[in-house]
Amino acid sequence: MEDSSTPEARDEWAAEREAILAAGTPEELERARTRALGRQSRLTEALRRLGELPLAERRERGRVLNRVRAELEALVAERAAVLKAQATARRLAAERLDMTLPGRRPRIGHWHPVTQTRRRLEDVMLRLGFTLVSGPEIETEWYNFDALNMPASHPAREMHDTFFLPAGRLLRTHTSPVQIRAMQAAGGRLPVRVAALGFTYRRDDDPTHLPQFMQMEGLVVDHGIGMADLKGTLWAIAREVFGPHAEIRLRPSFFPFTEPSAEVDVTCAVCGGAGCRVCKQTGWLEVLGAGLVHPHVLRAGGYDPEVVSGFAFGWGVERVAMLLYGIDDLRLFYQNDWRFLSQF
Ligand code: DAH
């Protein structure tokens, strides 16, 4: 009969104890724990067989076994804490903060090149005495077409590949509807001298056309406005935007909302008018559409074409940005590639 209080009896569990203390990893510790305390362990087996002992022995043996179990459990917990501390120490040693490393400079953003161009154009218009106005990107057919002298049957309406929305709405195909809104807002007062910049939409998608693009519109209405006012204003704008040597020329054209109408060319900013690849050797770049406001349009805006007249013009902001920055693919602007955008 063994005496559980002797050193030999305590050594009965030496193997379990040593395995726990020798565990070098959490996995080894778990294996040692299973071996010492698991359902297949000698300890569990000994506890199970307590019932086979006579009552007096059973009590004593039970006390010993329970004490051994508590002791082994404590030993496992202790070992787990040691392993955890060792792992933390190793990790901290590897991640040691190196005060001599150079810092990481935060990236400071800047305006998108199209926004920079927009702000530059807005600046020029403000200096010329124009007021900046805006209109909704979701428009009605009336503002986008009818009021601009493009009735439903008008062929020019088909040239605008329009995104139609429910309930007679559409995504505006140009900024020209802002002309009507600005005249209405002015309520008959003179002069009307406004510029509108904003996004416009067409069902186009190729290297020179995107479904979303930005336009700028200019409108002046007053007594006795004529082509000379238009040309003088455009000339001033061209010099402000493209430089002090820029010249312009007007070619006869057609727009439903102007009469007469003109396509406006600016001397090529790349070659200064000498002729190059960008201007296809002509020395000129076609940049905007313009003309004297059609009587129907003045009337739609609440003005009497017998009393007042006006001029209007419109152009693409990305196109201006391309010329200013020497970019040959419109799509680059909206691909959101930081390597491209960070150059401006
Ligand atoms: N709205 C025209 C377009 O998007 C551009 C335009 C041409 C605007 C002539 C004007 C204008 O104000 O007078 O194609």
Side-chain angles (χ1 to χ4, degrees), residues 160 173-174 176 179 202 215 217-218 255 257-258 289-291 312-314:
H160 292 214
T173 59
H174 52 176
S176 299
Q179 288 187 32
R202 289 187 204 178
Q215 280 195 344
E217 193 85 11
F255 297 104
F257 29 89
T258 44
F313 59 90

Side-chain angles (χ1 to χ4, degrees), residues 144 148 150 159-160 173-177 179 200 202 213 215-219 230 254-263 288-294 311-316:
N144 196 81
L148 290 163
M150 281 192 266
M159 288 166 57
H160 292 214
T173 59
H174 52 176
T175 45
S176 299
Q179 288 187 32
T200 49
R202 289 187 204 178
F213 55 105
Q215 280 195 344
M216 173 186 145
E217 193 85 11
L219 171 73
L230 171 63
F254 171 81
F255 297 104
F257 29 89
T258 44
E259 180 60 35
S261 303
E263 299 273 1
L288 37 73
L292 296 187
V293 183
H294 195 286
F311 69 72
F313 59 90
W315 55 350

Side-chain angles (χ1 to χ4, degrees), residues 135-141 143-144 165 168-172 177-178 181:
E137 292 176 15
I138 295 176
E139 264 296 6
T140 64
E141 290 194 41
Y143 279 105
N144 196 81
L165 301 171
R169 315 259 148 178
L170 45 74
L171 293 180
R172 67 180 180 190
V178 186
R181 292 186 175 274

Side-chain angles (χ1 to χ4, degrees), residues 27-181:
E27 294 74 33
E28 280 173 26
L29 180 60
E30 176 55 21
R31 246 177 279 128
R33 192 195 65 78
T34 308
R35 202 180 133 199
L37 294 154
R39 270 194 287 153
Q40 316 270 345
S41 65
R42 288 195 303 136
L43 181 63
T44 304
E45 178 61 15
L47 282 163
R48 205 180 290 129
R49 283 176 40 198
L50 271 182
E52 295 166 12
L53 300 176
L55 188 62
E57 264 177 58
R58 195 193 301 171
R59 216 179 262 140
E60 176 56 15
R61 177 78 172 149
R63 250 184 338 106
V64 171
L65 291 179
N66 277 327
R67 208 186 55 225
V68 168
R69 180 165 61 184
E71 197 190 306
L72 290 175
E73 280 169 354
L75 214 53
V76 168
E78 220 172 277
R79 188 65 195 153
V82 168
L83 289 178
K84 197 173 161 205
Q86 283 175 352
T88 305
R90 264 197 307 275
R91 195 163 43 76
L92 286 180
E95 288 177 4
R96 200 174 61 239
L97 183 62
D98 183 350
M99 299 298 280
T100 67
L101 279 176
R104 247 172 260 158
R105 191 180 293 277
R107 263 187 202 174
I108 297 175
H110 61 76
W111 294 110
H112 189 280
V114 172
T115 304
Q116 288 182 41
T117 306
R118 173 192 184 146
R119 291 164 69 87
R120 179 159 167 182
L121 293 173
E122 286 173 341
D123 230 51
V124 169
M125 298 313 287
L126 285 169
R127 268 184 283 133
L128 286 170
F130 284 73
T131 302
L132 298 177
V133 295
S134 62
E137 292 176 15
I138 295 176
E139 264 296 6
T140 64
E141 290 194 41
W142 189 81
Y143 279 105
N144 196 81
F145 292 125
D146 302 77
L148 290 163
N149 198 30
M150 281 192 266
S153 60
H154 202 289
R157 217 152 144 155
E158 274 162 39
M159 288 166 57
H160 292 214
D161 285 315
T162 309
F163 288 111
F164 288 98
L165 301 171
R169 315 259 148 178
L170 45 74
L171 293 180
R172 67 180 180 190
T173 59
H174 52 176
T175 45
S176 299
V178 186
Q179 288 187 32
I180 309 296
R181 292 186 175 274

